[in-house]
Amino acid sequence: MQLVDTHCHLYLEEFDADIDEVIDQAGYESVTHFYLPNIDSSSIERLYALEKKFPGKCFAMMGLHPCSVKENVLAELLLVEQHLAERKFCAVGEIGLDFYWDKTFVEQQYAAFRQQIGWAIEYNLPIVIHSRDSMDECIAVVREFAGKGLKGIFHCFGGTYDQAKQIIETGFLLGIGGVVTYKKAGLDQVLDKIDLKHIVLETDAPYLTPVPFRGKRNESKYLKYIVERIAEIQSRSVEEVANVTTANALQLFGG
Ligand SMILES: [Zn+2]
Ligand SMILES: [Zn+2]
């Protein structure tokens, strides 16, 4: 069995003390690949350092997170553009819209999202979308780029069945993480109707820890609980969920 964590921030300070152990223990739980979304200029150095420490396992994305879209958005975007031109990345991410924390820079969030989608198309890279209280708006922006070969993941999907269908229609994948183990989220009723070929797995570590460790630091080894829950919801074997979602992820990111 092989699992892929399509979204984790293992380069953050939360893992400084025991990152070797975190990667090893994830390995014991069959997690072979770790895809690392960037946040902003403050995370790039750490991101690169982790990728360098674990070649062939950790893969960097480049992008500006919507929560980091502030007064200095132009300088931040310029940096993203420069890094994208310098080397290869597995994806542009994480990018998108977040209306939950702060709506001061909504207009700039839209502009940054569209700009970075443009670069993804230019470099032929998938995008990893962060959407919070903005699912319909993110879907609408992706639709603007229909027919341009844009691919990617709606990470940490927690929407309705109708939104899931719309995302699938755009050719995007649903990133499923710890939320699937939260009873109140109701994601089980959506996922039992979604074909596995549209799903990839993620932890978003150190955030969104699955049950039974909710409230503690999340780690890639907990992908196990997400796979098990999806298998349960879909009445399939854990191996089947692992095989199909891993193939989806490796195909998107190019292995
Ligand atoms: Zn996110
Ligand atoms: Zn994230």
Side-chain angles (χ1 to χ4, degrees), residues 118-130:
W119 292 331
I121 292 168
E122 185 183 333
Y123 290 103
N124 197 22
L125 292 173
I127 62 173
V128 171
I129 299 175
H130 169 104

Side-chain angles (χ1 to χ4, degrees), residues 201-217:
L201 310 178
E202 63 172 61
T203 59
D204 204 12
Y207 317 111
L208 294 170
T209 314
V211 174
F213 295 104
R214 199 172 178 182
K216 301 219 173 77
R217 181 188 73 173

Side-chain angles (χ1 to χ4, degrees), residues 7-9 11 37-39 65 94 128 130 155-156 202 204-205 207-208:
H7 193 113
C8 50
H9 301 273
Y11 54 81
N38 189 42
I39 297 169
H65 192 294
E94 55 189 295
V128 171
H130 169 104
H155 120 78
C156 189
E202 63 172 61
D204 204 12
Y207 317 111
L208 294 170

Side-chain angles (χ1 to χ4, degrees), residues 16 42 51 59 76 82 88 103 147 153 181 219 240 247:
D16 279 356
S42 71
E51 189 191 44
F59 302 90
E76 286 282 342
Q82 287 168 347
K88 206 175 161 9
K103 288 184 114 175
I153 299 169
T181 67
E219 296 184 31
E240 192 182 359

